[in-house]
């Protein structure tokens, strides 16, 4: 193994180690994990600077998927190419996978236990609460004017009263966005397509992905 | 079976804008449509997925994969839901970072974000009321409402960590139900 190869291997091993440690802290997504990534990657290892962190947040927040997987893919790719991305994503997913696996084994053992069923029902209620909180936060960053309010309302109504596949909504959203912006420009109205960056940092970027 | 699990979750992963909650109902629809879970089972899956770290959608994929095809199924489903994110993030960071300042892209996200909001609102309504249509004793309904309201207050007002809230609600569930 030559020098460059062994350095690359060492970097991959380090990436694996760091994201394996971050993995379990992705509980509740957003805040906790981003803070920990910043601590490890920017301050401790010096692998990225603040500006690259901001880039990471933009991508992680807009690509499909959870923010944890997206950020680790970004960091891994920046540092060590495609193999780095795969390593980082594998490392961040592994602990969660094990925990979920363990839970599902436990659940088969305690399946018909009354207490467990009751506990799961309680958890169900608090997850509904977390979804509501996530919806409120997402609302703040997405409902910027009457048009976006209309789009969200139409989406909810379609979901409630028709059996529309959400895929069509996700395809339709960008089209509606482009149409609205074009129309408004034609009419000479100013459109703000995003929240101002200051608010955006706290309100939009993190909490969209609450878990 | 494995191939089917992979394809279904690959599809889900590809449209999972907005993270876990927005695609929960899509996963439910796919899973119920194929007879992988019924409503009660799916609600259990969601409760367990919420107990583990990581994205609730990925965890749900792992659980459904496991129940359908064992360890291999769990792996296949998890890889399926993560793969689109991995590929897209690599593509974006390699080639398309500049595009974020493009007007068309900005307009697209301007329209996509309210849709994601709608999906999450629907998920809240769906899991809040879903399956409780049948004759549920009102006591359990009140209990659910209390736990739900309590959790909202804890998370928003007192900034309690979501994991602590979930643990507390499990205890509350044992007490109430």
């Amino acid at each position: 193994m030559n020098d460059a190869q062994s350095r690359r291997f060492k970097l991959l091993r380090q990436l694996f180690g760091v994201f394996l440690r971050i993995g379990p802290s992705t509980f509740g997504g957003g805040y906790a994990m981003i803070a920990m990534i910043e601590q490890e990657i920017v301050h401790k290892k010096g692998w990225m600077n603040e500006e690259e962190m901001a880039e990471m947040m933009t991508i992680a927040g807009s690509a499909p998927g959870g923010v944890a997987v997206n950020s680790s893919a970004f960091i891994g790719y920046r540092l060590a190419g495609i193999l780095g991305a795969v390593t980082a994503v594998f490392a961040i997913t592994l602990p969660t996978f094990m925990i979920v696996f363990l839970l599902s084994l436990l659940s088969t053992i305690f399946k018909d236990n009354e207490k467990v069923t009751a506990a799961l029902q309680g958890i169900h209620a608090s997850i509904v609460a977390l979804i509501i909180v996530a919806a409120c936060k997402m609302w703040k960053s997405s409902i910027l004017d009457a048009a976006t309010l209309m789009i969200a309302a139409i989406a909810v109504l379609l979901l409630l009263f028709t059996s529309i596949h959400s895929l069509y909504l996700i395809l339709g959203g960008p089209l509606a966005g482009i149409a609205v912006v074009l129309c408004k420009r034609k009419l000479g109205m100013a459109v703000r397509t995003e929240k101002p960056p200051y608010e955006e940092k706290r309100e939009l970027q993190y909490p969209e992905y609450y878990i | 079976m494995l191939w089917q699990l992979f394809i279904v979750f690959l599809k889900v992963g590809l449209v999972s804008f907005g993270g876990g909650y927005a695609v929960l109902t899509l996963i439910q629809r796919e899973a119920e449509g194929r007879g992988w879970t019924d409503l009660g089972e799916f609600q259990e899956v969601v409760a367990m997925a919420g107990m583990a770290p990581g994205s609730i959608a990925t965890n749900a994929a792992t659980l459904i994969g496991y129940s359908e095809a064992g360890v291999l199924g769990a792996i296949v489903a998890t890889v399926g839901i993560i793969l689109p994110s991995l590929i897209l993030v690599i593509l974006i960071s390699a080639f398309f970072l500049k595009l974020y300042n493009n007007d068309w892209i900005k307009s697209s996200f301007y329209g996509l974000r309210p849709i994601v909001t709608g999906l999450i609102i629907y998920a809240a309504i769906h899991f809040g009321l879903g399956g409780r249509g049948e004759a549920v004793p009102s006591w359990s309904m009140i209990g659910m409402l209390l736990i739900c309201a309590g959790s909202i207050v804890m998370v928003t007002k007192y900034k309690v960590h979501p994991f602590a809230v979930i643990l507390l609600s499990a205890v509350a569930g044992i007490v109430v139900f």
Side-chain angles (χ1 to χ4, degrees), chain A residues 103-120:
Chain A
L103 280 175
S104 94
L105 286 183
L106 285 177
S107 89
T108 42
I109 299 171
F110 295 109
K111 204 168 175 63
D112 298 315
N113 185 311
E114 252 174 56
K115 291 239 158 51
V116 173
T117 316
L120 281 178

Side-chain angles (χ1 to χ4, degrees), chain A residues 125-138, chain B residues 21 120-121 124-125 148 152:
Chain A
S126 73
I127 285 177
V128 171
L130 291 179
I131 301 179
I132 294 173
V133 172
C136 290
K137 288 183 168 160
M138 189 67 204
Chain B
Y21 295 137
I120 299 177
I121 293 174
I125 297 173
C148 184
I152 292 178

